[in-house]
Amino acid sequence: MFYMIYSEDVTGSLDKRLATRPAHLARLEQLKAEGRLLLAGPLPAIDSLDPGSAGFSGSLVVAEFTSLVEAQHWADADPYLAAGIYARSTVKPFKKVLP
């Protein structure tokens, strides 16, 4: 089943986010290689694809896990959370309907 992981950044975390990005992306690449990643990306803090120094307000990941517990464990192990970039992450079941 798919699960949505919505994570919210703390204010002023752009420098930490950029420094931690390689470790964060490596975990997403692993999900992709396993065929479990539906989508993933950051949430720009302003209405722009390149928010520059405004940074990001969080991230969204939709991926397949065997259970809500497994999805929550995966989210809890995110390097962004460990580095203090994420204030919190919300994990919920997701039912893909379209496309």
Side-chain angles (χ1 to χ4, degrees):
M1 180 169 187
F2 285 111
Y3 294 87
M4 179 259 344
I5 302 169
Y6 172 73
S7 302
E8 298 174 67
D9 285 18
V10 299
T11 303
S13 61
L14 182 58
D15 289 340
K16 282 185 185 179
R17 181 184 257 273
L18 294 174
T20 310
R21 189 169 188 259
H24 172 77
L25 288 179
R27 298 179 76 235
L28 293 169
E29 287 293 340
Q30 179 70 36
L31 286 177
K32 181 181 171 187
E34 294 169 357
R36 298 169 46 201
L37 184 63
L38 183 61
L39 63 87
L43 307 171
I46 61 173
D47 190 12
S48 173
L49 290 176
D50 182 4
S53 62
F56 301 92
S57 62
S59 301
L60 176 67
V61 174
V62 179
E64 190 173 20
F65 295 94
T66 59
S67 68
L68 180 60
V69 170
E70 181 191 7
Q72 185 67 60
H73 284 305
W74 189 90
D76 289 345
D78 196 298
Y80 280 179
L81 190 61
I85 297 156
Y86 288 158
R88 71 188 76 43
S89 291
T90 302
V91 180
K92 294 186 176 188
F94 178 83
K95 180 179 176 182
K96 182 179 183 242
V97 174
L98 295 171

